[in-house]
Amino acid sequence: MSDFVVPSSVHVTRGERGDMVLLNAHTGRWHLLNETGRVVFDELRRTGDLGCAVAALETRFPAVDAEALRVDVDRMVTDLVERDLLRLARRAGGVPIALPERQDVSARTGDRALAVGCLLAAVVLLRLPLRASIAVVLWLKRNLVRRPATVTEGLAVLELAHAMSRWFPGRMACMELSLTTVLLGAARRQGLDWCFGHSRDPLTFHSWVESGGEVVQRGDDEPVAATYQRVLAV
């Protein structure tokens, strides 16, 4: 029987109703599993064994025909593999291994030019697979950043990003603004975290910036901590 692994690019959080939200950092897509799907996915994460996943459902739903459960699990696993949320494991010695508040912005001309450059870079990066954007952010943080940004410094960068975004004619939403802020922080040798998360009712997705685990946001922004659960921080 084939073994499966969950790629390291898949980030998981469990909901209050027993469901599960997954972020595939390779594709940048979000996925929602209901409670039954969560049971199967949890078992596949734990054992990698399709039979164990079917057995978990048989225990949970004893009145349902076992063959019908197996067909449903097979169909779900096929969908998970097609979405790169699950992969066939490579084997090493018989063991499965995973594939690997508002302020006036009075910036100098040089700072403004830098911010515009970071904004344009963010727009270009977000046209690529999310894994490419994440890889660039990680590379910049390793090679340019000298220290973590304080929340005050992060807010100053965020305000500058917002100010420059008003001149951009295209889409400028949370992904573009948060990535611009992180890139601009790195260009200033200050480290900020690029974060992704979701809300519950209704289910929505969001991207924001943090410094040392504290959300960096303006006074008129929607409160992140009270609304969104973080799934990934880069």
Side-chain angles (χ1 to χ4, degrees):
M1 185 173 292
S2 297
D3 290 309
F4 295 89
V5 293
V6 176
S8 59
S9 57
V10 177
H11 303 268
V12 178
T13 182
R14 291 182 61 167
E16 297 175 357
R17 297 189 295 266
D19 52 7
M20 177 178 282
V21 177
L22 301 89
L23 169 62
N24 187 336
H26 274 261
T27 63
R29 293 185 176 181
W30 294 87
H31 306 268
L32 176 66
L33 300 179
N34 62 18
E35 186 174 0
T36 302
R38 188 263 304 165
V39 171
V40 174
F41 193 80
D42 272 344
E43 195 63 31
L44 290 170
R45 281 202 299 169
R46 188 177 70 84
T47 67
D49 192 296
L50 197 61
C52 291
V54 174
L57 284 189
E58 290 175 346
T59 300
R60 193 174 187 88
F61 304 105
V64 180
D65 179 69
E67 186 58 32
L69 290 177
R70 179 174 294 276
V71 170
D72 287 343
V73 171
D74 284 343
R75 186 181 299 117
M76 176 181 172
V77 167
T78 299
D79 288 342
L80 291 172
V81 171
E82 288 178 350
R83 290 162 173 77
D84 198 28
L85 300 171
L86 199 66
R87 296 178 188 173
L88 283 170
R90 294 175 181 170
R91 291 183 166 273
V95 179
I97 57 175
L99 305 172
E101 179 180 279
R102 183 179 303 273
Q103 303 174 356
D104 292 330
V105 178
S106 54
R108 295 173 300 179
T109 302
D111 289 335
R112 290 177 178 269
L114 185 60
V116 170
C118 291
L119 186 153
L120 294 176
V123 171
V124 171
L125 285 171
L126 290 174
R127 291 181 177 272
L128 303 175
L130 182 60
R131 64 180 182 272
S133 304
I134 290 175
V136 170
V137 170
L138 292 173
W139 186 89
L140 291 173
K141 293 178 78 169
R142 284 195 305 267
N143 292 277
L144 291 185
V145 171
R146 294 293 176 260
R147 62 175 178 82
T150 66
V151 173
T152 300
E153 290 170 335
L155 182 57
V157 175
L158 177 62
E159 289 285 0
L160 183 54
H162 268 277
M164 296 302 100
S165 71
R166 299 188 190 105
W167 300 98
F168 185 70
R171 179 184 185 274
M172 190 55 54
C174 63
M175 288 282 283
E176 290 81 6
L177 282 168
S178 58
L179 180 53
T180 298
T181 303
V182 171
L183 296 178
L184 184 52
R188 290 181 164 190
R189 308 297 180 98
Q190 300 168 356
L192 291 164
D193 293 329
W194 192 22
C195 301
F196 305 85
H198 66 91
S199 66
R200 296 307 311 173
D201 291 312
L203 183 64
T204 56
F205 308 105
H206 189 42
S207 177
W208 66 91
V209 174
E210 292 185 6
S211 173
E214 185 173 348
V215 177
V216 177
Q217 61 183 136
R218 306 181 306 164
D220 57 351
D221 287 340
E222 181 181 10
V224 170
T227 308
Y228 297 95
Q229 180 176 350
R230 189 177 71 185
V231 175
L232 172 65
V234 179

